[in-house]
Amino acid sequence: MIENVWLITALPLAGFIVIGLLGKRLGEKLSGIIASLFSAAAFVVTILIFMEVLAKEESARKIIVKFFDWIVVGKVNTAVAYQVDPLSLVMTLIVTGVGSLIHFYSIGYMHGDKLSAKYFAYLNLFMFSMLNLVLGSNLLIMFLGWEGVGLCSYLLIGYYYETKEAGDAGKKAFIVNRVGDFGFLIGIFLILFVFGTLEFSELEQLAEGHKSGEMVIFWITIMLFIGATGKSAQIPLYVWLPDAMAGPTPVSALIHAATMVTSGIYMLARLSFLYVKSPETMMIICIIGALTAFFAATIGMFQNDIKKVLAYSTVSQLGYMFMGVGAGAFSAGIFHVMTHAFFKALLFLGAGSVIYALHHEQDIRHMGGLRKKLPITHFTFLIGTLAIAGTPLFSGFFSKDEILWKVFNYSPAIWLIGATGAAITSYYMFRLYFVTFYGEMRYHEHGDHKVHESPLIMTVPLVILAALSLGGGLFGIPHILDFFHMGNLLEEFLHHSVSDSSVVSHGASTEIAMMAMSVILALVGFFISYKVFFKGKRVPGKDEEYSGLPKTVYNKYYVDEFYNIAFVKSIYHAALILWRAFDVFVIDGIVNGVAKLLRNLGGGMRETETGVVHDYMMYMAGGLVSFFVLLFLFFL
Amino acid sequence: MGESMNLMNITQTHYIVLSVLLFCIGAAGVLIRRNAIVIFLCVEIMLNAVNIALVAFSRGLDQNRGEVFVFFVIAVAAAESAIGLSLLILLFRQKKTLDVDEINSLKGNL
Amino acid sequence: MDSTALISFIKPVVFYTFAATAVLSAIMVIVSKNPLYSAVNLVLTFFSIAGIYVLMGAEVIAVFQILVYAGAIMVLVIFVIMFLNLRPSLFKIQFKHVFRSGLAVVFMTALFAIIASLFSKGVGVYMEHAQKGEITQAAIDAEGGFQLFSRALFTEFLLPFELTSLLLTVAIIGVVVLIRGMIKPGVSKKGQEK
C-alpha cells in the first residue's frame, strides 16, 4: 500500500476535477457527498499506510516513493516524490481525518448556498495541495503545496466574493502570505546554492557536515522562518488571519485552525536537522512565538465576534507551537499541532453550529442562553474550551504543558510570557463560553426561524472531535504522569523523523511544580471569567463604550492601520509615480514616437507621388545620371 | 580624349560625340518643357541622335546592318508619331490644356 | 590642288557646319516659346542631320530622313499645331519649374560629359580592332548605295520589312479608332472614311 501513497493526493484531486467540471449538474448535495467521500477515502488509505509503517521497525520507517524525475539541471535532480515517514504520516492523518469531518459538516452548513458545488471543489483542491505539502520529499513539492494552499485560502476566504469584506480579506491573505513566501523562496535558493539539492533526505545527510552557528545556516533558517510567519500567522505577518474569518466557518475550521496554518510548524519540523544547527534562529523563533502568543491573547480578551475570538486564539496557539519548536522541542510542537487541530476545529465547527442556528448572527452580545436550545453544540463546545484552556486530562493540557516545560528549561523569561498567555487564554475562552451559552437569550427569534439544534451531519463531527479533544492527550503522556507505562507515544514515533535539541536541566519535582503552576494559572483565568460573566452576568458593552487601553486592544492595537500607512499607501503612491513618469511618459512616448516617426516618414514619401509625369522623369534622369557617375568613377 | 583624337581629322568618334550631345539636349528638353507637343519633338531629337550613332558605326564597320536598322527606326517613329499625335488631340479635347503638369490623374492620395 | 587634300580640308568644315546647325537648332527647339517655331527648328535639325548622313557616306538614310521625317512627320506635327490652335506658351512659370529645368540641365550636362569622355576613349580602339564587313565605300561606288541597301532589305531583312508594313497598318487603324469619337453623330457613313 505504501507504493500507492499517490492515492492520498489523487483522490481529492479527482474530487476537485469531477466537481469542478460537473458541479452545476450534480448539485449541492451530491457535490458535497462526493467531496467528503473522496476525502474520507484518502483518510482510509492513510490509515492503511500508517499501519504498514507501524509494523516496520524504527529505523526502516522512512520510505521515499518516487514517481518521476522532474527538473534535471546540471547536478540538481528534483523528482516528484513523496516521503512516507512518521512526521508526514502524523500530519497526513490530521489533515485527512479532520479534513474529512469538516467536509461532512460542510454538507449541512452550506445547505441552501447555491454555489456550494464550487465550495466543495475548492475544499478538495485545498486537500490536494495541503497533502502535497506534507507528503512531498523535497522543498519544491512542498513549496508547490505551500502556494496551492495559499491559493485555495484566497479562493475560500473570498468565497462570498460579492461582499467587499470577503474580497478584501481574500486579497489580504494572499498578499501577506506572498510577503512571507518571498522569504521562503530566498531560503530555498540559498539551500540550493549551498547544498545543491532540495531533497530532505539528502539535505539531512549534507547538513551533518556543517558546524553549528554557521552564517549561511543562520540565513537559510531565518528566511524560511519568515515564510513560516506568513503562513502560520506570527508577528509581523499575522494580520490576514482575523480578516479571514469573512469566509465560511468550516473553511476557518479547516484552513485556519487545523491544517494550513500549521504548515509553518511542519516545515520547521521537517527541516529540524537544519534548525538545530542555528541556535540564534531558534532563539528568535522562540521569542516571536512567545510574543505572538501573548499579544494575540490580549486582543482576544476584548473581541465580540465569536469567530474573531477564535481567530486570535489560533494566532496565539500557533505562537505556542513556535515557542516549543524554538526551544528545541520539535515533537512537542507537532503534538500541539495535533491537539490544536482537534479542539480548534471543534471550537470553530461549534461556533459554526451556533451561527447556523442563529441564522448567521456572529456577535456574542446578541447571543446567550443557548445552553438548553443547542445541547450537543453546547456540550462539545465546553469540551473544546476545557481543552484549550489546559484543563488536566484534556489533550490541550498535555501538549501545552510539554511545551511550557521545555520552554522553562530553555529560558524562564520566555516561559513567563507564555504562562501569562495561558492564563489569558483561559480567561477569554471561558468569557466566550459563558457569554454565548449562558444568561438570558439576547437573540430575537422571528417567525418560523426558531432556534434549534443543528442537523446530525453537523453534530456528529462535533462529537467525534470532542472525543479526540478529550482523548488526544493519550498520545503524549509525559514520563512523570505515565502511570500506565504507555510512554510518550508521539515522541517515540517521531523520534527519527525530527531532531530534538531541547534540554531538560531541571528535575522531576520541578516539572510537577510547573505543571501545577499551569493548572493554577488556568484556574485563575477561569475564575475571573466565571465571576464576571457567569455570576455577574455581564455582557460586553457596545462598541462606543470602549475607551482608553481597552479600546486600543479592542482595535487590535491599530496594527492594520499602521501597516496600511507604512506599507500599502507608500507602495501605492510609488507605483502611481512610476506609472505616470515611466510607463506613460517614457514607454508610451517611445511607442507613440515610433508610430509618429513612421507616419511622418510615410507622409513625406507620399509627396513624391505627384501624378505629374515630369517629376517621375526627373527621378528617372537622376537615377540614370547617378548610374553613369558611378560607372565613370569605376573606370577612373 | 584619346590620343588618336584630332579635331581636324573627322573620325567615328566625332560622330559619336555629336550623337551623345544631341541625345542629352533632347533629354533635357523632355524634362524642361511642359507643352506636350514640344516634348514630343524633343523625343524625336533623341531618336535622331541614336540614328546618327547607328549609322556612324554601320559605316565605320563597312556594313549596312546599322543603316537598315535606322530605316526601321524611322518607320516606327512615323507610326508612333501618328498615334501619339492623335492621342494628344484627344487629350487636348478632354483637358483643354497641353500642360503636362496639369495632367495629373496618376496622382496618389496627396 | 590635290583632291584628297581638298577633301581633308573641306570635310571638317562641312562637318562642323552641319553639326553646329544641328545642335543650335535643337537647342532652339527647346527654347522657343511658340510651338510652331519649335517645329520649324526641328525641321532644320533634321536637314542638318541628313547632311551628316551624306558626309558619312550613307545617302540612303539621308534620303529617307528627309522624305519621312522632314516631309511627313513634321508636316503632320505642324498640321496638329495649327489644328489645335496653339498659341505661344502662356503657362505659368513657377519656382518648381525653374528648379526642375536647372536640375535637368545639370543632369544632362553631367551625362554628356561622362558618356562623351567614356566613349571617346573606346570608340577609336574598337574601330581598329573590330571586324569589318564587305560594304566598303568602293563597293558602294561600284554598285550604288540604294542597290546594296535594297538587296539587303529584301533578302536578309525581309521579315522585319514585312512586319514593319504590318506595324504601319496597325498604326493607321489605331488612329482611325482613336479619332472615331470625335466625329459628330449624324454624319453619313461616308464620313467614316476620314
Side-chain angles (χ1 to χ4, degrees):
Chain A
M1 192 33 104
I2 294 185
E3 327 75 60
N4 291 330
V5 66
W6 54 270
L7 273 173
I8 301 182
T9 49
L11 283 162
L13 182 65
F16 165 67
I17 293 174
V18 166
I19 301 176
L21 291 173
L22 303 172
K24 276 239 167 73
R25 258 197 276 138
L26 293 171
E28 159 205 318
K29 221 173 184 174
L30 202 50
S31 310
I33 294 177
I34 291 178
S36 309
L37 284 178
F38 275 121
S39 276
F43 178 64
V44 169
V45 173
T46 314
I47 295 276
L48 291 172
I49 295 184
F50 175 65
M51 296 202 301
E52 230 183 275
V53 168
L54 262 186
K56 293 184 191 286
E57 60 159 47
E58 263 193 53
S59 50
R61 281 186 181 158
K62 179 158 82 176
I63 303 118
I64 299 185
V65 181
K66 180 162 141 176
F67 301 113
F68 54 87
D69 279 322
W70 187 16
I71 300 179
V72 183
V73 178
K75 285 180 294 181
V76 176
N77 184 341
T78 313
V80 171
Y82 287 157
Q83 181 164 324
V84 178
D85 71 358
L87 178 61
S88 58
L89 274 175
V90 168
M91 295 298 296
T92 312
L93 281 168
I94 296 173
V95 173
T96 51
V98 176
S100 304
L101 286 174
I102 296 180
H103 273 83
F104 283 107
Y105 177 93
S106 300
I107 299 178
Y109 187 80
M110 299 300 285
H111 175 62
D113 186 318
K114 55 181 165 37
L115 291 171
S116 49
K118 194 166 71 163
Y119 169 85
F120 284 109
Y122 289 157
L123 267 193
N124 266 13
L125 184 66
F126 171 82
M127 295 288 284
F128 170 71
S129 305
M130 186 72 202
L131 289 165
N132 267 309
L133 201 163
V134 298
L135 281 171
S137 77
N138 55 54
L139 273 167
L140 200 54
I141 306 280
M142 179 193 259
F143 188 67
L144 275 185
W146 190 272
E147 293 292 311
V149 295
L151 171 70
C152 293
S153 175
Y154 163 77
L155 290 171
L156 284 162
I157 293 174
Y159 181 68
Y160 299 122
Y161 59 85
E162 275 148 5
T163 66
K164 186 171 195 297
E165 193 193 341
D168 285 350
K171 274 186 285 186
K172 186 172 180 178
F174 196 77
I175 292 175
V176 174
N177 256 220
R178 218 68 195 99
V179 176
D181 291 348
F182 179 66
F184 197 153
L185 272 172
I186 304 269
I188 294 183
F189 294 152
L190 282 172
I191 286 187
L192 199 57
F193 184 66
V194 171
F195 293 101
T197 177
L198 294 174
E199 295 285 332
F200 294 130
S201 43
E202 289 172 28
L203 284 171
E204 197 168 351
Q205 285 174 330
L206 288 169
E208 300 281 322
H210 287 261
K211 290 201 303 283
S212 172
E214 267 184 33
M215 229 338 141
V216 67
I217 304 277
F218 170 73
W219 283 110
I220 290 177
T221 48
I222 281 288
M223 282 297 144
L224 291 171
F225 175 61
I226 292 179
T229 59
K231 202 54 111 206
S232 298
Q234 296 296 290
I235 293 173
L237 298 173
Y238 68 91
V239 290
W240 62 272
L241 204 146
D243 282 39
M245 296 300 118
T249 310
V251 167
S252 308
L254 178 64
I255 297 184
H256 309 125
T259 48
M260 184 179 102
V261 292
T262 56
S263 322
I265 315 285
Y266 167 73
M267 188 257 286
L268 293 186
R270 210 359 126 219
L271 294 170
S272 53
F273 53 83
L274 212 53
Y275 277 91
V276 297
K277 297 256 179 195
S278 177
E280 298 88 359
T281 315
M282 301 279 273
M283 173 63 83
I284 295 177
I285 295 177
C286 198
I287 293 177
I288 290 191
L291 286 174
T292 309
F294 178 75
F295 179 73
T298 57
I299 302 182
M301 284 199 313
F302 289 96
Q303 296 303 309
N304 292 320
D305 181 324
I306 192 174
K307 285 177 71 171
K308 285 256 161 63
V309 176
L310 293 176
Y312 283 104
S313 162
T314 302
V315 176
S316 179
Q317 294 302 306
L318 287 167
Y320 280 102
M321 294 176 215
F322 277 98
M323 261 206 298
V325 163
F330 289 91
S331 62
I334 298 289
F335 187 25
H336 202 55
V337 167
M338 189 172 82
T339 59
H340 178 261
F342 296 147
F343 58 69
K344 195 43 75 57
L346 169 62
L347 286 168
F348 264 112
L349 292 185
S353 182
V354 169
I355 295 174
Y356 182 76
L358 298 184
H359 302 288
H360 296 285
E361 173 62 66
Q362 289 182 212
D363 194 327
I364 58 177
R365 294 171 289 192
H366 300 151
M367 297 183 186
L370 296 173
R371 185 163 66 99
K372 296 260 167 48
K373 298 270 183 182
L374 310 173
I376 305 181
T377 308
H378 159 256
F379 184 64
T380 52
F381 200 88
L382 176 61
I383 294 188
T385 311
L386 286 168
I388 194 174
T391 317
L393 294 186
F394 286 79
S395 57
F397 167 71
F398 290 106
S399 59
K400 195 187 293 192
D401 219 69
E402 194 180 331
I403 289 180
L404 285 174
W405 169 237
K406 292 280 163 70
V407 171
F408 179 74
N409 282 284
Y410 181 73
S411 160
I414 299 181
W415 170 87
L416 190 60
I417 302 177
T420 324
I424 300 179
T425 304
S426 173
Y427 163 75
Y428 71 71
M429 282 312 299
F430 277 105
R431 166 183 179 267
L432 185 65
Y433 169 70
F434 286 132
V435 175
T436 307
F437 290 100
Y438 284 85
E440 13 169 297
M441 196 159 95
R442 296 176 291 279
Y443 179 75
H444 302 292
E445 294 178 273
H446 24 252
D448 32 44
H449 289 295
K450 291 274 179 216
V451 175
H452 58 82
E453 183 60 88
S454 305
L456 262 181
I457 197 161
M458 286 166 69
T459 53
V460 166
L462 288 177
V463 172
I464 297 178
L465 285 169
L468 285 167
S469 302
L470 194 47
L474 289 173
F475 291 113
I477 301 182
H479 190 66
I480 51 170
L481 292 179
D482 198 2
F483 305 121
F484 299 106
H485 296 283
M486 285 171 64
N488 190 329
L489 291 173
L490 190 68
E491 195 175 333
E492 284 169 23
F493 186 58
L494 289 176
H495 186 51
H496 280 296
S497 345
V498 298
S499 313
D500 192 316
S501 68
S502 57
V503 292
V504 178
S505 46
H506 298 270
S509 50
T510 324
E511 195 178 344
I512 297 185
M514 303 313 306
M515 209 172 280
M517 191 75 188
S518 322
V519 177
I520 292 172
L521 286 167
L523 278 172
V524 166
F526 169 72
F527 264 117
I528 298 180
S529 194
Y530 180 76
K531 271 215 94 175
V532 174
F533 296 105
F534 183 67
K535 276 276 154 63
K537 294 195 198 275
R538 256 275 298 271
V539 171
K542 300 203 235 307
D543 283 354
E544 307 77 57
E545 291 172 11
Y546 287 90
S547 66
L549 185 63
K551 183 168 185 215
T552 310
V553 179
Y554 182 50
N555 281 317
K556 312 165 272 154
Y557 298 100
Y558 298 109
V559 170
D560 279 314
E561 288 76 1
F562 169 68
Y563 277 359
N564 196 26
I565 297 176
F567 300 116
V568 177
K569 283 219 153 58
S570 51
I571 291 181
Y572 176 73
H573 282 121
L576 205 65
I577 292 174
L578 270 180
W579 170 58
R580 289 224 179 92
F582 193 67
D583 192 36
V584 172
F585 189 64
V586 174
I587 297 198
D588 283 353
I590 291 178
V591 171
N592 290 345
V594 169
K596 271 198 206 120
L597 182 72
L598 286 175
R599 201 155 157 242
N600 290 337
L601 265 180
M605 302 232 83
R606 209 175 36 173
E607 305 264 331
T608 59
E609 295 284 319
T610 58
V612 175
V613 183
H614 260 123
D615 290 342
Y616 299 158
M617 282 197 281
M618 286 304 293
Y619 298 141
M620 277 169 60
L624 189 71
V625 171
S626 323
F627 171 72
F628 272 105
V629 168
L630 282 171
L631 199 65
F632 181 67
L633 291 172
F634 183 68
F635 270 113
L636 213 55
Chain B
M1 304 280 179
E3 2 4 324
S4 51
M5 183 69 185
N6 179 1
L7 253 79
M8 281 299 131
N9 185 16
I10 309 298
T11 67
Q12 314 305 117
T13 315
H14 289 246
Y15 296 122
I16 300 304
V17 170
L18 175 66
S19 162
V20 173
L21 183 59
L22 279 175
F23 183 84
C24 289
I25 292 175
V30 166
L31 292 171
I32 293 177
R33 290 303 302 252
R34 291 198 286 164
N35 190 323
I37 297 205
V38 176
I39 293 179
F40 171 72
L41 297 180
C42 293
V43 171
E44 294 302 323
I45 297 179
M46 286 160 77
L47 275 173
N48 269 276
V50 171
N51 283 348
I52 295 178
L54 273 169
V55 171
F57 276 116
S58 174
R59 292 308 313 141
L61 294 173
D62 285 335
Q63 295 177 338
N64 56 10
R65 281 222 165 111
E67 292 178 32
V68 172
F69 192 61
V70 168
F71 172 77
F72 290 128
V73 170
I74 294 177
V76 170
E80 162 231 333
S81 68
I83 298 190
L85 285 167
S86 40
L87 281 174
L88 260 171
I89 295 176
L90 288 175
L91 190 67
F92 184 71
R93 287 202 128 211
Q94 283 278 51
K95 299 274 182 173
K96 303 285 187 275
T97 178
L98 277 178
D99 181 352
V100 293
D101 280 352
E102 300 285 324
I103 306 169
N104 57 3
S105 305
L106 279 176
K107 180 174 161 186
N109 272 329
L110 260 184
Chain C
M1 204 189 279
D2 190 9
S3 64
T4 29
L6 198 63
I7 290 173
S8 60
F9 173 68
I10 289 187
K11 198 167 179 193
V13 170
V14 173
F15 170 74
Y16 280 115
T17 312
F18 277 133
T21 316
V23 170
L24 282 172
S25 50
I27 292 178
M28 285 311 292
V29 168
I30 301 175
V31 163
S32 304
K33 274 215 159 68
N34 195 333
L36 206 53
Y37 286 6
S38 300
V40 173
N41 275 312
L42 191 60
V43 175
L44 183 58
T45 315
F46 286 156
F47 273 106
S48 326
I49 292 179
I52 305 273
Y53 285 147
V54 172
L55 208 57
M56 283 199 272
E59 304 98 12
V60 182
I61 302 300
V63 169
F64 281 130
Q65 168 95 349
I66 295 178
L67 268 179
V68 176
Y69 256 123
I73 294 178
M74 289 320 297
V75 171
L76 189 61
V77 167
I78 293 179
F79 260 140
V80 170
I81 291 177
M82 293 187 178
F83 179 66
L84 296 181
N85 211 7
L86 291 177
R87 292 294 148 76
S89 173
L90 289 168
F91 298 154
K92 297 184 292 289
I93 306 234
Q94 292 165 326
F95 172 72
K96 64 179 177 189
H97 305 124
V98 175
F99 176 71
R100 204 165 59 201
S101 312
L103 200 60
V105 169
V106 169
F107 278 166
M108 290 311 130
T109 318
L111 197 64
F112 167 70
I114 291 169
I115 298 182
S117 62
L118 282 178
F119 278 12
S120 58
K121 276 190 201 161
V123 170
V125 176
Y126 172 68
M127 282 306 178
E128 279 169 37
H129 299 276
Q131 189 180 30
K132 310 260 186 194
E134 317 99 20
I135 322 284
T136 58
Q137 193 59 40
I140 294 178
D141 289 339
E143 249 194 286
F146 269 100
Q147 275 84 334
L148 289 167
F149 182 83
S150 315
R151 189 174 298 148
L153 195 62
F154 285 102
T155 52
E156 211 180 328
F157 300 102
L158 183 60
L159 184 60
F161 180 72
E162 297 301 335
L163 284 176
T164 309
S165 53
L166 187 64
L167 177 73
L168 287 168
T169 316
V170 168
I172 295 173
I173 297 174
V175 171
V176 170
V177 167
L178 282 171
I179 296 298
R180 269 175 93 206
M182 284 177 65
I183 302 172
K184 291 196 174 73
V187 176
S188 61
K189 292 188 189 123
K190 270 195 287 184
Q192 286 205 353
E193 294 301 316
K194 282 190 197 152

